[in-house]
Amino acid sequence: EAGVVQSPRYKIIEKKQPVAFWCNPISGHNTLYWYLQNLGQGPELLIRYENEEAVDDSQLPKDRFSAERLKGVDSTLKIQPAELGDSAVYLCASSPGSGRETQYFGPGTRLLVL
Amino acid sequence: GENVEQHPSTLSVQEGDSAVIKCTYSDSASNYFPWYKQELGKRPQLIIDIRSNVGEKKDQRIAVTLNKTAKHFSLHITETQPEDSAVYFCAASLGGANNLFFGTGTRLTVIP
């Protein structure tokens, strides 16, 4: 069974440019999470989806970040415009739902904003 | 919201010795406590988890203990091996599909 897939793995952009990250969760997993991991820190939630519905986006900086999961499978996280402080690893995770809690993480996208 | 603290931030042990990492949490409603191992540049991988109706869980060389009253839980690795070297994160959750609140991580180095 394939794990959580993310692309790109690395991205270097200049500040004020837009950037997008893509995530494909494990097949059949209803819940999808985007986490932000700063260097030397644990992941922090940005947004959580149950199928196509964003059920927790309280930590998403909505002035510049947006996300979508249109068909309840793949998801895209976008930053526009990027700032220097956005440099971090963006992790996607999925879980089966239906009371099963285990979250499986993707390899992450490492973003560097210059 | 939940606040998870983790100690120590770094830990060095000799190969074959035991390693213990401790975490505390603030929200007494949290009931699911996973531990993740993250090697440099790789994804966090679940190594063990425990739910609040259990006080201890063991899987080969890895064990986790939970004290609900004191709101702390610990990871124990016995007979450490060089391949155990990584960053370990504890986390707490309200369970179900709720998000995880992570500690700040412990960098474990096992010296051959």
Side-chain angles (χ1 to χ4, degrees), chain A residues 4 9 31 33 35 37 40-43 45 48 50 56 101-103 105-107, chain B residues 32 36 38 41 43-44 46 49 51 89 95-100 102-104:
Chain A
V4 177
R9 292 294 314 278
T31 309
Y33 314 77
Y35 287 90
Q37 186 174 26
Q41 300 294 317
L45 183 76
R48 170 166 63 96
E50 296 286 347
D56 184 355
E101 300 115 329
T102 304
Q103 293 185 26
F105 282 82
Chain B
Y32 174 64
Y36 284 84
Q38 188 174 31
R43 71 186 74 198
L46 179 73
D49 57 13
R51 291 168 178 79
F89 291 98
N98 285 286
N99 58 292
L100 300 173
F102 284 85
T104 50

PDB file of all heavy atoms in Angstrom, chain A residues 4 9 31 33 35 37 40-43 45 48 50 56 101-103 105-107, chain B residues 32 36 38 41 43-44 46 49 51 89 95-100 102-104:
ATOM      1  N   VAL A   4       1.429   8.202   2.184  1.00  0.00           N
ATOM      2  CA  VAL A   4       1.032   9.553   1.819  1.00  0.00           C
ATOM      3  C   VAL A   4       2.089  10.131   0.868  1.00  0.00           C
ATOM      4  O   VAL A   4       3.288  10.055   1.161  1.00  0.00           O
ATOM      5  CB  VAL A   4       0.882  10.443   3.064  1.00  0.00           C
ATOM      6  CG1 VAL A   4       0.548  11.879   2.667  1.00  0.00           C
ATOM      7  CG2 VAL A   4      -0.167   9.861   3.997  1.00  0.00           C
ATOM      8  N   ARG A   9       9.102  17.853  -3.289  1.00  0.00           N
ATOM      9  CA  ARG A   9       9.817  17.584  -2.054  1.00  0.00           C
ATOM     10  C   ARG A   9      10.573  18.814  -1.577  1.00  0.00           C
ATOM     11  O   ARG A   9      10.728  19.032  -0.372  1.00  0.00           O
ATOM     12  CB  ARG A   9      10.805  16.438  -2.251  1.00  0.00           C
ATOM     13  CG  ARG A   9      10.152  15.076  -2.491  1.00  0.00           C
ATOM     14  CD  ARG A   9       9.384  14.605  -1.241  1.00  0.00           C
ATOM     15  NE  ARG A   9      10.145  14.762  -0.020  1.00  0.00           N
ATOM     16  CZ  ARG A   9      11.059  13.912   0.391  1.00  0.00           C
ATOM     17  NH1 ARG A   9      11.319  12.827  -0.307  1.00  0.00           N
ATOM     18  NH2 ARG A   9      11.712  14.128   1.530  1.00  0.00           N
ATOM     19  N   THR A  31      -9.729  11.481   6.541  1.00  0.00           N
ATOM     20  CA  THR A  31      -9.238  12.685   7.213  1.00  0.00           C
ATOM     21  C   THR A  31      -7.854  13.044   6.700  1.00  0.00           C
ATOM     22  O   THR A  31      -6.974  12.179   6.607  1.00  0.00           O
ATOM     23  CB  THR A  31      -9.192  12.470   8.735  1.00  0.00           C
ATOM     24  OG1 THR A  31     -10.453  11.963   9.168  1.00  0.00           O
ATOM     25  CG2 THR A  31      -8.917  13.781   9.452  1.00  0.00           C
ATOM     26  N   TYR A  33      -4.726  16.077   7.002  1.00  0.00           N
ATOM     27  CA  TYR A  33      -4.183  17.172   7.809  1.00  0.00           C
ATOM     28  C   TYR A  33      -3.001  17.813   7.078  1.00  0.00           C
ATOM     29  O   TYR A  33      -2.200  17.117   6.455  1.00  0.00           O
ATOM     30  CB  TYR A  33      -3.643  16.650   9.151  1.00  0.00           C
ATOM     31  CG  TYR A  33      -4.524  15.696   9.906  1.00  0.00           C
ATOM     32  CD1 TYR A  33      -4.633  14.365   9.526  1.00  0.00           C
ATOM     33  CD2 TYR A  33      -5.229  16.109  11.038  1.00  0.00           C
ATOM     34  CE1 TYR A  33      -5.421  13.471  10.230  1.00  0.00           C
ATOM     35  CE2 TYR A  33      -6.016  15.213  11.759  1.00  0.00           C
ATOM     36  CZ  TYR A  33      -6.109  13.898  11.343  1.00  0.00           C
ATOM     37  OH  TYR A  33      -6.890  13.013  12.058  1.00  0.00           O
ATOM     38  N   TYR A  35       0.227  20.031   8.309  1.00  0.00           N
ATOM     39  CA  TYR A  35       0.984  20.516   9.456  1.00  0.00           C
ATOM     40  C   TYR A  35       2.160  21.347   8.962  1.00  0.00           C
ATOM     41  O   TYR A  35       2.720  21.101   7.892  1.00  0.00           O
ATOM     42  CB  TYR A  35       1.551  19.357  10.276  1.00  0.00           C
ATOM     43  CG  TYR A  35       0.557  18.580  11.112  1.00  0.00           C
ATOM     44  CD1 TYR A  35      -0.109  17.474  10.579  1.00  0.00           C
ATOM     45  CD2 TYR A  35       0.301  18.926  12.441  1.00  0.00           C
ATOM     46  CE1 TYR A  35      -1.005  16.738  11.350  1.00  0.00           C
ATOM     47  CE2 TYR A  35      -0.585  18.192  13.218  1.00  0.00           C
ATOM     48  CZ  TYR A  35      -1.233  17.104  12.658  1.00  0.00           C
ATOM     49  OH  TYR A  35      -2.117  16.376  13.432  1.00  0.00           O
ATOM     50  N   GLN A  37       6.041  22.370  10.077  1.00  0.00           N
ATOM     51  CA  GLN A  37       7.119  22.019  11.001  1.00  0.00           C
ATOM     52  C   GLN A  37       8.295  22.977  10.812  1.00  0.00           C
ATOM     53  O   GLN A  37       8.976  22.936   9.786  1.00  0.00           O
ATOM     54  CB  GLN A  37       7.576  20.571  10.805  1.00  0.00           C
ATOM     55  CG  GLN A  37       8.592  20.137  11.851  1.00  0.00           C
ATOM     56  CD  GLN A  37       8.951  18.673  11.771  1.00  0.00           C
ATOM     57  OE1 GLN A  37       8.864  18.042  10.728  1.00  0.00           O
ATOM     58  NE2 GLN A  37       9.360  18.099  12.912  1.00  0.00           N
ATOM     59  N   GLY A  40      13.630  22.267  14.216  1.00  0.00           N
ATOM     60  CA  GLY A  40      13.814  21.979  15.627  1.00  0.00           C
ATOM     61  C   GLY A  40      12.539  21.972  16.443  1.00  0.00           C
ATOM     62  O   GLY A  40      12.592  21.965  17.676  1.00  0.00           O
ATOM     63  N   GLN A  41      11.407  21.972  15.774  1.00  0.00           N
ATOM     64  CA  GLN A  41      10.114  21.992  16.469  1.00  0.00           C
ATOM     65  C   GLN A  41       9.245  20.813  16.036  1.00  0.00           C
ATOM     66  O   GLN A  41       9.508  20.165  15.029  1.00  0.00           O
ATOM     67  CB  GLN A  41       9.376  23.289  16.166  1.00  0.00           C
ATOM     68  CG  GLN A  41      10.112  24.546  16.594  1.00  0.00           C
ATOM     69  CD  GLN A  41      10.256  24.639  18.097  1.00  0.00           C
ATOM     70  OE1 GLN A  41       9.308  24.368  18.852  1.00  0.00           O
ATOM     71  NE2 GLN A  41      11.445  25.002  18.556  1.00  0.00           N
ATOM     72  N   GLY A  42       8.200  20.571  16.808  1.00  0.00           N
ATOM     73  CA  GLY A  42       7.227  19.575  16.408  1.00  0.00           C
ATOM     74  C   GLY A  42       6.240  20.151  15.408  1.00  0.00           C
ATOM     75  O   GLY A  42       6.074  21.369  15.309  1.00  0.00           O
ATOM     76  N   PRO A  43       5.573  19.298  14.653  1.00  0.00           N
ATOM     77  CA  PRO A  43       4.571  19.777  13.701  1.00  0.00           C
ATOM     78  C   PRO A  43       3.428  20.494  14.405  1.00  0.00           C
ATOM     79  O   PRO A  43       3.037  20.141  15.512  1.00  0.00           O
ATOM     80  CB  PRO A  43       4.087  18.492  13.024  1.00  0.00           C
ATOM     81  CG  PRO A  43       5.190  17.492  13.239  1.00  0.00           C
ATOM     82  CD  PRO A  43       5.767  17.830  14.575  1.00  0.00           C
ATOM     83  N   LEU A  45      -0.596  21.994  13.566  1.00  0.00           N
ATOM     84  CA  LEU A  45      -1.691  21.885  12.599  1.00  0.00           C
ATOM     85  C   LEU A  45      -1.979  23.212  11.916  1.00  0.00           C
ATOM     86  O   LEU A  45      -2.082  24.259  12.557  1.00  0.00           O
ATOM     87  CB  LEU A  45      -2.966  21.410  13.295  1.00  0.00           C
ATOM     88  CG  LEU A  45      -4.141  21.197  12.343  1.00  0.00           C
ATOM     89  CD1 LEU A  45      -3.958  19.887  11.566  1.00  0.00           C
ATOM     90  CD2 LEU A  45      -5.464  21.204  13.103  1.00  0.00           C
ATOM     91  N   ARG A  48      -7.417  20.841   8.988  1.00  0.00           N
ATOM     92  CA  ARG A  48      -7.861  19.445   8.972  1.00  0.00           C
ATOM     93  C   ARG A  48      -9.129  19.320   8.140  1.00  0.00           C
ATOM     94  O   ARG A  48     -10.062  20.121   8.312  1.00  0.00           O
ATOM     95  CB  ARG A  48      -8.122  18.953  10.388  1.00  0.00           C
ATOM     96  CG  ARG A  48      -8.810  17.595  10.472  1.00  0.00           C
ATOM     97  CD  ARG A  48      -8.732  17.008  11.874  1.00  0.00           C
ATOM     98  NE  ARG A  48      -9.421  17.808  12.868  1.00  0.00           N
ATOM     99  CZ  ARG A  48     -10.678  17.575  13.289  1.00  0.00           C
ATOM    100  NH1 ARG A  48     -11.367  16.587  12.774  1.00  0.00           N
ATOM    101  NH2 ARG A  48     -11.230  18.334  14.210  1.00  0.00           N
ATOM    102  N   GLU A  50     -12.242  16.683   6.858  1.00  0.00           N
ATOM    103  CA  GLU A  50     -13.019  15.455   6.907  1.00  0.00           C
ATOM    104  C   GLU A  50     -13.688  15.348   5.545  1.00  0.00           C
ATOM    105  O   GLU A  50     -14.597  16.118   5.226  1.00  0.00           O
ATOM    106  CB  GLU A  50     -14.077  15.508   8.013  1.00  0.00           C
ATOM    107  CG  GLU A  50     -13.525  15.603   9.412  1.00  0.00           C
ATOM    108  CD  GLU A  50     -12.937  14.287   9.899  1.00  0.00           C
ATOM    109  OE1 GLU A  50     -13.180  13.246   9.259  1.00  0.00           O
ATOM    110  OE2 GLU A  50     -12.229  14.301  10.914  1.00  0.00           O
ATOM    111  N   ASP A  56     -11.365  22.149  10.743  1.00  0.00           N
ATOM    112  CA  ASP A  56     -10.563  22.929  11.671  1.00  0.00           C
ATOM    113  C   ASP A  56      -9.522  23.697  10.880  1.00  0.00           C
ATOM    114  O   ASP A  56      -8.543  23.119  10.437  1.00  0.00           O
ATOM    115  CB  ASP A  56      -9.902  22.045  12.724  1.00  0.00           C
ATOM    116  CG  ASP A  56      -9.137  22.848  13.781  1.00  0.00           C
ATOM    117  OD1 ASP A  56      -9.027  24.091  13.646  1.00  0.00           O
ATOM    118  OD2 ASP A  56      -8.639  22.238  14.740  1.00  0.00           O
ATOM    119  N   GLU A 101      -7.470   6.527  15.102  1.00  0.00           N
ATOM    120  CA  GLU A 101      -6.740   7.782  15.259  1.00  0.00           C
ATOM    121  C   GLU A 101      -5.396   7.846  14.550  1.00  0.00           C
ATOM    122  O   GLU A 101      -4.861   8.931  14.364  1.00  0.00           O
ATOM    123  CB  GLU A 101      -6.474   8.058  16.749  1.00  0.00           C
ATOM    124  CG  GLU A 101      -7.716   8.170  17.587  1.00  0.00           C
ATOM    125  CD  GLU A 101      -7.843   7.080  18.607  1.00  0.00           C
ATOM    126  OE1 GLU A 101      -7.363   5.954  18.356  1.00  0.00           O
ATOM    127  OE2 GLU A 101      -8.425   7.341  19.673  1.00  0.00           O
ATOM    128  N   THR A 102      -4.787   6.727  14.213  1.00  0.00           N
ATOM    129  CA  THR A 102      -3.406   6.759  13.743  1.00  0.00           C
ATOM    130  C   THR A 102      -3.257   7.666  12.529  1.00  0.00           C
ATOM    131  O   THR A 102      -3.967   7.504  11.538  1.00  0.00           O
ATOM    132  CB  THR A 102      -2.913   5.355  13.392  1.00  0.00           C
ATOM    133  OG1 THR A 102      -3.075   4.511  14.532  1.00  0.00           O
ATOM    134  CG2 THR A 102      -1.452   5.391  12.986  1.00  0.00           C
ATOM    135  N   GLN A 103      -2.317   8.600  12.631  1.00  0.00           N
ATOM    136  CA  GLN A 103      -2.023   9.502  11.531  1.00  0.00           C
ATOM    137  C   GLN A 103      -0.735   9.072  10.849  1.00  0.00           C
ATOM    138  O   GLN A 103       0.277   8.822  11.507  1.00  0.00           O
ATOM    139  CB  GLN A 103      -1.899  10.937  12.037  1.00  0.00           C
ATOM    140  CG  GLN A 103      -3.224  11.499  12.547  1.00  0.00           C
ATOM    141  CD  GLN A 103      -3.157  12.940  12.930  1.00  0.00           C
ATOM    142  OE1 GLN A 103      -2.322  13.707  12.429  1.00  0.00           O
ATOM    143  NE2 GLN A 103      -4.025  13.354  13.833  1.00  0.00           N
ATOM    144  N   PHE A 105       2.114  10.140   8.067  1.00  0.00           N
ATOM    145  CA  PHE A 105       2.669  11.357   7.488  1.00  0.00           C
ATOM    146  C   PHE A 105       3.316  11.111   6.135  1.00  0.00           C
ATOM    147  O   PHE A 105       3.876  10.035   5.873  1.00  0.00           O
ATOM    148  CB  PHE A 105       3.717  11.957   8.426  1.00  0.00           C
ATOM    149  CG  PHE A 105       3.115  12.691   9.587  1.00  0.00           C
ATOM    150  CD1 PHE A 105       2.691  12.004  10.715  1.00  0.00           C
ATOM    151  CD2 PHE A 105       2.947  14.067   9.552  1.00  0.00           C
ATOM    152  CE1 PHE A 105       2.116  12.681  11.788  1.00  0.00           C
ATOM    153  CE2 PHE A 105       2.381  14.750  10.615  1.00  0.00           C
ATOM    154  CZ  PHE A 105       1.953  14.046  11.734  1.00  0.00           C
ATOM    155  N   GLY A 106       3.249  12.146   5.313  1.00  0.00           N
ATOM    156  CA  GLY A 106       4.012  12.169   4.084  1.00  0.00           C
ATOM    157  C   GLY A 106       5.427  12.643   4.347  1.00  0.00           C
ATOM    158  O   GLY A 106       5.758  13.022   5.484  1.00  0.00           O
ATOM    159  N   PRO A 107       6.284  12.659   3.314  1.00  0.00           N
ATOM    160  CA  PRO A 107       7.685  13.050   3.483  1.00  0.00           C
ATOM    161  C   PRO A 107       7.870  14.552   3.652  1.00  0.00           C
ATOM    162  O   PRO A 107       8.937  14.997   4.065  1.00  0.00           O
ATOM    163  CB  PRO A 107       8.345  12.567   2.196  1.00  0.00           C
ATOM    164  CG  PRO A 107       7.240  12.569   1.202  1.00  0.00           C
ATOM    165  CD  PRO A 107       5.996  12.219   1.943  1.00  0.00           C
TER     166      PRO A 107
ATOM    167  N   TYR B  32      -5.390  10.235  23.711  1.00  0.00           N
ATOM    168  CA  TYR B  32      -4.605   9.438  22.765  1.00  0.00           C
ATOM    169  C   TYR B  32      -3.213  10.041  22.698  1.00  0.00           C
ATOM    170  O   TYR B  32      -3.061  11.258  22.501  1.00  0.00           O
ATOM    171  CB  TYR B  32      -5.277   9.447  21.390  1.00  0.00           C
ATOM    172  CG  TYR B  32      -4.482   8.789  20.302  1.00  0.00           C
ATOM    173  CD1 TYR B  32      -4.188   7.421  20.355  1.00  0.00           C
ATOM    174  CD2 TYR B  32      -4.027   9.511  19.214  1.00  0.00           C
ATOM    175  CE1 TYR B  32      -3.447   6.813  19.365  1.00  0.00           C
ATOM    176  CE2 TYR B  32      -3.284   8.910  18.212  1.00  0.00           C
ATOM    177  CZ  TYR B  32      -3.003   7.561  18.281  1.00  0.00           C
ATOM    178  OH  TYR B  32      -2.280   6.962  17.296  1.00  0.00           O
ATOM    179  N   TYR B  36       6.284   9.498  17.786  1.00  0.00           N
ATOM    180  CA  TYR B  36       6.800   9.430  16.417  1.00  0.00           C
ATOM    181  C   TYR B  36       8.318   9.521  16.425  1.00  0.00           C
ATOM    182  O   TYR B  36       8.908  10.254  17.227  1.00  0.00           O
ATOM    183  CB  TYR B  36       6.234  10.565  15.561  1.00  0.00           C
ATOM    184  CG  TYR B  36       4.799  10.362  15.122  1.00  0.00           C
ATOM    185  CD1 TYR B  36       3.742  10.698  15.954  1.00  0.00           C
ATOM    186  CD2 TYR B  36       4.512   9.818  13.873  1.00  0.00           C
ATOM    187  CE1 TYR B  36       2.427  10.501  15.561  1.00  0.00           C
ATOM    188  CE2 TYR B  36       3.199   9.622  13.460  1.00  0.00           C
ATOM    189  CZ  TYR B  36       2.165   9.969  14.310  1.00  0.00           C
ATOM    190  OH  TYR B  36       0.867   9.766  13.903  1.00  0.00           O
ATOM    191  N   GLN B  38      11.485  10.534  13.917  1.00  0.00           N
ATOM    192  CA  GLN B  38      11.765  11.241  12.670  1.00  0.00           C
ATOM    193  C   GLN B  38      13.260  11.280  12.434  1.00  0.00           C
ATOM    194  O   GLN B  38      14.005  11.917  13.178  1.00  0.00           O
ATOM    195  CB  GLN B  38      11.192  12.661  12.694  1.00  0.00           C
ATOM    196  CG  GLN B  38      11.294  13.370  11.347  1.00  0.00           C
ATOM    197  CD  GLN B  38      10.600  14.721  11.340  1.00  0.00           C
ATOM    198  OE1 GLN B  38      10.524  15.411  12.350  1.00  0.00           O
ATOM    199  NE2 GLN B  38      10.080  15.129  10.183  1.00  0.00           N
ATOM    200  N   GLY B  41      15.488  14.590   7.624  1.00  0.00           N
ATOM    201  CA  GLY B  41      14.956  14.755   6.279  1.00  0.00           C
ATOM    202  C   GLY B  41      13.862  13.780   5.891  1.00  0.00           C
ATOM    203  O   GLY B  41      13.469  13.727   4.733  1.00  0.00           O
ATOM    204  N   ARG B  43      10.038  11.517   6.944  1.00  0.00           N
ATOM    205  CA  ARG B  43       8.725  11.718   7.535  1.00  0.00           C
ATOM    206  C   ARG B  43       8.671  11.209   8.965  1.00  0.00           C
ATOM    207  O   ARG B  43       9.358  10.247   9.293  1.00  0.00           O
ATOM    208  CB  ARG B  43       7.666  11.000   6.695  1.00  0.00           C
ATOM    209  CG  ARG B  43       7.697   9.481   6.793  1.00  0.00           C
ATOM    210  CD  ARG B  43       6.730   8.839   5.835  1.00  0.00           C
ATOM    211  NE  ARG B  43       7.220   8.909   4.464  1.00  0.00           N
ATOM    212  CZ  ARG B  43       6.454   8.741   3.396  1.00  0.00           C
ATOM    213  NH1 ARG B  43       5.163   8.525   3.537  1.00  0.00           N
ATOM    214  NH2 ARG B  43       6.962   8.803   2.184  1.00  0.00           N
ATOM    215  N   PRO B  44       7.838  11.809   9.815  1.00  0.00           N
ATOM    216  CA  PRO B  44       7.605  11.228  11.145  1.00  0.00           C
ATOM    217  C   PRO B  44       6.922   9.868  10.983  1.00  0.00           C
ATOM    218  O   PRO B  44       5.974   9.727  10.206  1.00  0.00           O
ATOM    219  CB  PRO B  44       6.667  12.240  11.815  1.00  0.00           C
ATOM    220  CG  PRO B  44       6.815  13.498  11.027  1.00  0.00           C
ATOM    221  CD  PRO B  44       7.099  13.072   9.624  1.00  0.00           C
ATOM    222  N   LEU B  46       5.148   6.650  13.147  1.00  0.00           N
ATOM    223  CA  LEU B  46       4.594   6.197  14.419  1.00  0.00           C
ATOM    224  C   LEU B  46       5.364   4.970  14.895  1.00  0.00           C
ATOM    225  O   LEU B  46       5.566   4.011  14.139  1.00  0.00           O
ATOM    226  CB  LEU B  46       3.121   5.846  14.248  1.00  0.00           C
ATOM    227  CG  LEU B  46       2.407   5.338  15.494  1.00  0.00           C
ATOM    228  CD1 LEU B  46       2.166   6.485  16.459  1.00  0.00           C
ATOM    229  CD2 LEU B  46       1.100   4.649  15.138  1.00  0.00           C
ATOM    230  N   ASP B  49       1.817   3.868  20.383  1.00  0.00           N
ATOM    231  CA  ASP B  49       0.827   4.808  20.897  1.00  0.00           C
ATOM    232  C   ASP B  49       0.095   4.168  22.074  1.00  0.00           C
ATOM    233  O   ASP B  49       0.166   2.954  22.289  1.00  0.00           O
ATOM    234  CB  ASP B  49      -0.163   5.246  19.816  1.00  0.00           C
ATOM    235  CG  ASP B  49      -0.897   4.079  19.156  1.00  0.00           C
ATOM    236  OD1 ASP B  49      -0.843   2.950  19.667  1.00  0.00           O
ATOM    237  OD2 ASP B  49      -1.520   4.315  18.097  1.00  0.00           O
ATOM    238  N   ARG B  51      -3.585   4.683  24.645  1.00  0.00           N
ATOM    239  CA  ARG B  51      -4.841   5.367  24.908  1.00  0.00           C
ATOM    240  C   ARG B  51      -5.071   5.460  26.400  1.00  0.00           C
ATOM    241  O   ARG B  51      -4.504   4.680  27.175  1.00  0.00           O
ATOM    242  CB  ARG B  51      -5.985   4.648  24.183  1.00  0.00           C
ATOM    243  CG  ARG B  51      -5.865   4.825  22.684  1.00  0.00           C
ATOM    244  CD  ARG B  51      -6.767   3.914  21.881  1.00  0.00           C
ATOM    245  NE  ARG B  51      -6.638   4.180  20.454  1.00  0.00           N
ATOM    246  CZ  ARG B  51      -5.654   3.741  19.683  1.00  0.00           C
ATOM    247  NH1 ARG B  51      -4.698   2.992  20.212  1.00  0.00           N
ATOM    248  NH2 ARG B  51      -5.613   4.040  18.401  1.00  0.00           N
ATOM    249  N   PHE B  89       9.269  12.497  18.863  1.00  0.00           N
ATOM    250  CA  PHE B  89       8.223  13.452  19.245  1.00  0.00           C
ATOM    251  C   PHE B  89       7.107  12.729  19.976  1.00  0.00           C
ATOM    252  O   PHE B  89       6.612  11.695  19.503  1.00  0.00           O
ATOM    253  CB  PHE B  89       7.618  14.136  18.017  1.00  0.00           C
ATOM    254  CG  PHE B  89       8.536  15.085  17.309  1.00  0.00           C
ATOM    255  CD1 PHE B  89       9.237  14.672  16.189  1.00  0.00           C
ATOM    256  CD2 PHE B  89       8.675  16.386  17.755  1.00  0.00           C
ATOM    257  CE1 PHE B  89      10.092  15.545  15.524  1.00  0.00           C
ATOM    258  CE2 PHE B  89       9.524  17.271  17.099  1.00  0.00           C
ATOM    259  CZ  PHE B  89      10.231  16.849  15.984  1.00  0.00           C
ATOM    260  N   GLY B  95      -8.352  12.354  20.558  1.00  0.00           N
ATOM    261  CA  GLY B  95      -8.741  11.083  19.976  1.00  0.00           C
ATOM    262  C   GLY B  95      -9.591  11.267  18.733  1.00  0.00           C
ATOM    263  O   GLY B  95      -9.888  12.383  18.312  1.00  0.00           O
ATOM    264  N   GLY B  96      -9.971  10.149  18.140  1.00  0.00           N
ATOM    265  CA  GLY B  96     -10.726  10.206  16.904  1.00  0.00           C
ATOM    266  C   GLY B  96      -9.913  10.890  15.825  1.00  0.00           C
ATOM    267  O   GLY B  96      -8.711  10.665  15.707  1.00  0.00           O
ATOM    268  N   ALA B  97     -10.553  11.749  15.054  1.00  0.00           N
ATOM    269  CA  ALA B  97      -9.865  12.425  13.955  1.00  0.00           C
ATOM    270  C   ALA B  97      -9.246  13.749  14.382  1.00  0.00           C
ATOM    271  O   ALA B  97      -8.725  14.482  13.548  1.00  0.00           O
ATOM    272  CB  ALA B  97     -10.843  12.663  12.809  1.00  0.00           C
ATOM    273  N   ASN B  98      -9.294  14.064  15.666  1.00  0.00           N
ATOM    274  CA  ASN B  98      -8.740  15.340  16.117  1.00  0.00           C
ATOM    275  C   ASN B  98      -7.242  15.420  15.864  1.00  0.00           C
ATOM    276  O   ASN B  98      -6.535  14.418  15.839  1.00  0.00           O
ATOM    277  CB  ASN B  98      -9.015  15.542  17.609  1.00  0.00           C
ATOM    278  CG  ASN B  98     -10.468  15.900  17.864  1.00  0.00           C
ATOM    279  OD1 ASN B  98     -10.904  17.014  17.602  1.00  0.00           O
ATOM    280  ND2 ASN B  98     -11.232  14.927  18.339  1.00  0.00           N
ATOM    281  N   ASN B  99      -6.747  16.659  15.703  1.00  0.00           N
ATOM    282  CA  ASN B  99      -5.341  16.817  15.382  1.00  0.00           C
ATOM    283  C   ASN B  99      -4.462  16.517  16.587  1.00  0.00           C
ATOM    284  O   ASN B  99      -4.907  16.485  17.723  1.00  0.00           O
ATOM    285  CB  ASN B  99      -5.058  18.228  14.874  1.00  0.00           C
ATOM    286  CG  ASN B  99      -5.450  19.301  15.876  1.00  0.00           C
ATOM    287  OD1 ASN B  99      -6.630  19.492  16.128  1.00  0.00           O
ATOM    288  ND2 ASN B  99      -4.465  19.967  16.463  1.00  0.00           N
ATOM    289  N   LEU B 100      -3.199  16.281  16.282  1.00  0.00           N
ATOM    290  CA  LEU B 100      -2.202  16.007  17.308  1.00  0.00           C
ATOM    291  C   LEU B 100      -1.528  17.302  17.737  1.00  0.00           C
ATOM    292  O   LEU B 100      -1.244  18.173  16.909  1.00  0.00           O
ATOM    293  CB  LEU B 100      -1.154  15.043  16.755  1.00  0.00           C
ATOM    294  CG  LEU B 100      -1.670  13.673  16.296  1.00  0.00           C
ATOM    295  CD1 LEU B 100      -0.548  12.896  15.616  1.00  0.00           C
ATOM    296  CD2 LEU B 100      -2.207  12.892  17.481  1.00  0.00           C
ATOM    297  N   PHE B 102       1.970  18.344  19.318  1.00  0.00           N
ATOM    298  CA  PHE B 102       3.276  17.720  19.465  1.00  0.00           C
ATOM    299  C   PHE B 102       4.138  18.420  20.506  1.00  0.00           C
ATOM    300  O   PHE B 102       4.031  19.636  20.715  1.00  0.00           O
ATOM    301  CB  PHE B 102       4.026  17.756  18.132  1.00  0.00           C
ATOM    302  CG  PHE B 102       3.544  16.759  17.132  1.00  0.00           C
ATOM    303  CD1 PHE B 102       2.475  17.042  16.306  1.00  0.00           C
ATOM    304  CD2 PHE B 102       4.169  15.524  17.018  1.00  0.00           C
ATOM    305  CE1 PHE B 102       2.030  16.120  15.373  1.00  0.00           C
ATOM    306  CE2 PHE B 102       3.730  14.593  16.090  1.00  0.00           C
ATOM    307  CZ  PHE B 102       2.660  14.887  15.269  1.00  0.00           C
ATOM    308  N   GLY B 103       5.026  17.651  21.118  1.00  0.00           N
ATOM    309  CA  GLY B 103       6.101  18.220  21.911  1.00  0.00           C
ATOM    310  C   GLY B 103       7.182  18.768  20.993  1.00  0.00           C
ATOM    311  O   GLY B 103       7.084  18.664  19.765  1.00  0.00           O
ATOM    312  N   THR B 104       8.220  19.318  21.581  1.00  0.00           N
ATOM    313  CA  THR B 104       9.271  19.968  20.805  1.00  0.00           C
ATOM    314  C   THR B 104      10.365  19.013  20.346  1.00  0.00           C
ATOM    315  O   THR B 104      11.287  19.419  19.650  1.00  0.00           O
ATOM    316  CB  THR B 104       9.913  21.102  21.617  1.00  0.00           C
ATOM    317  OG1 THR B 104      10.273  20.598  22.910  1.00  0.00           O
ATOM    318  CG2 THR B 104       8.942  22.265  21.786  1.00  0.00           C
TER     319      THR B 104
END
